[in-house]
Amino acid sequence: MSDVSCPDSADRTATVDLLGMLALGELTAFSRLAADADMAPAVAGREAFARLALVEFGHYELLLARLRDLTGAPEAAMAPYAPVFAAYHERTRPGTWLEAVVKAYVGDGIAADFSREIARFVDAESRAAIEAAMDDRERSAVLVRLAAEGMQSDPHVRGRLALWARRLHGEAVSQAQTVAAQRESLTTLLTGSGPQLDLVALGELFARLARRHTERMAALGLEA
C-alpha cells in the first residue's frame, strides 16, 4: 500500500474498518479504566487509573479525527465491533484491584500490539495516528509499578495473577481471530493476501503477539 494521505477506495474501506475498531477500543478502554478505578484500595491508585483513562480518551479523539477525514459516518464504522468488545469485557471482568491492573496491562497491551501489526499496511497519515494512539510505554510503566506494589504487599497472589493473565491472553487472541475472520477488509490488511485467509501469515502474526505477551509477563515477574 502506498504512503498517501488519501487511500484509494478499497484501501479506504479497510482503513476505515480498522480505525473504527481501534477508536471504539480506545473509547471502551477509557470507560473500563474509569469504572475500575473505584476498585483501588487507595486514592493514589484511583488517580493513576483516572489519568490513564484520560489518556485513552485522548487516543480515541485522535483516531476519531482521522476516521472523520476518511468517512462521514464514524459511528457506523465503530458499531460492528461493539459486540466483540462487550463479549471480551464481560468474560474478563476483574474481581480485584490487582486483576484490574493486570487486565489493563496485559489485555490492552495485546490489543496495542495487534493494532501496530496492522498499521504497517495502511496509508502514512492513518499509520501515524494509530502509532501515536497505541504508544503504551508510559501507560505500561505505570501499570507495572502498580502491579509490583500490589504483589509486594501480597506475594501469594502471584500464582493467581499468572493464571488470570493467561486467561486474558487467550480471550484477547480469540477475539482478535474472530475479528480477522469476520471482517474481510481486515484480513486483507493482516495478510496482504486478498480476501482468502492466509493461515500461515496469520499464524506468524499471532506467534509474534505471543512472544510480546511473554515479555510483558516477565516485566510483571510472572510466568507466561
Side-chain angles (χ1 to χ4, degrees):
M1 184 175 297
S2 60
D3 284 345
V4 294
S5 59
C6 293
D8 62 30
S9 179
D11 291 345
R12 181 187 295 263
T13 297
T15 302
V16 166
D17 271 355
L18 175 59
L19 289 168
M21 179 184 72
L22 300 184
L24 185 63
E26 292 300 293
L27 184 59
T28 304
F30 157 75
S31 60
R32 294 312 313 159
L33 283 167
D36 290 345
D38 288 337
M39 303 177 74
V43 171
R46 292 182 65 185
E47 179 182 323
F49 258 42
R51 290 185 183 278
L52 290 176
L54 288 174
V55 171
E56 296 292 358
F57 194 79
H59 290 167
Y60 163 70
E61 291 185 312
L62 180 65
L63 294 167
L64 186 63
R66 181 54 182 159
L67 195 54
R68 284 175 172 154
D69 287 341
L70 299 176
T71 178
E75 293 82 3
M78 290 185 271
Y81 303 102
V84 175
F85 287 111
Y88 170 73
H89 287 291
E90 181 61 30
R91 287 198 289 265
T92 59
R93 193 181 300 275
T96 68
W97 165 243
L98 276 178
E99 286 184 0
V101 172
V102 171
K103 178 181 176 180
Y105 179 60
V106 171
D108 291 352
I110 294 169
D113 287 340
F114 182 70
S115 303
R116 284 188 288 260
E117 286 279 352
I118 311 179
R120 294 182 299 155
F121 304 110
V122 301
D123 64 279
E125 192 169 345
S126 297
R127 182 166 66 249
I130 293 169
E131 289 177 349
M134 295 299 122
D135 186 349
D136 59 352
R137 288 171 294 182
E138 183 175 352
R139 167 198 179 93
S140 294
V142 171
L143 293 169
V144 168
R145 175 179 58 78
L146 290 173
E149 291 171 354
M151 287 187 285
Q152 185 175 19
S153 63
D154 185 7
H156 300 293
V157 80
R158 287 182 178 272
R160 181 164 56 80
L161 288 177
L163 291 174
W164 171 244
R166 290 176 200 137
R167 178 181 168 188
L168 291 168
H169 177 258
E171 291 287 354
V173 170
S174 176
Q175 293 303 314
Q177 289 173 329
T178 297
V179 169
Q182 291 180 350
R183 304 295 292 183
E184 182 178 299
S185 61
L186 295 183
T187 299
T188 303
L189 281 177
L190 275 168
T191 65
S193 61
Q196 296 301 313
L197 186 62
D198 185 335
L199 295 179
V200 173
L202 202 58
E204 291 172 348
L205 181 150
F206 284 109
R208 290 193 295 274
L209 296 182
R211 287 194 296 271
R212 291 173 193 142
H213 170 69
T214 300
E215 293 169 359
R216 282 196 173 87
M217 292 287 280
L220 289 174
L222 300 176
E223 292 187 11

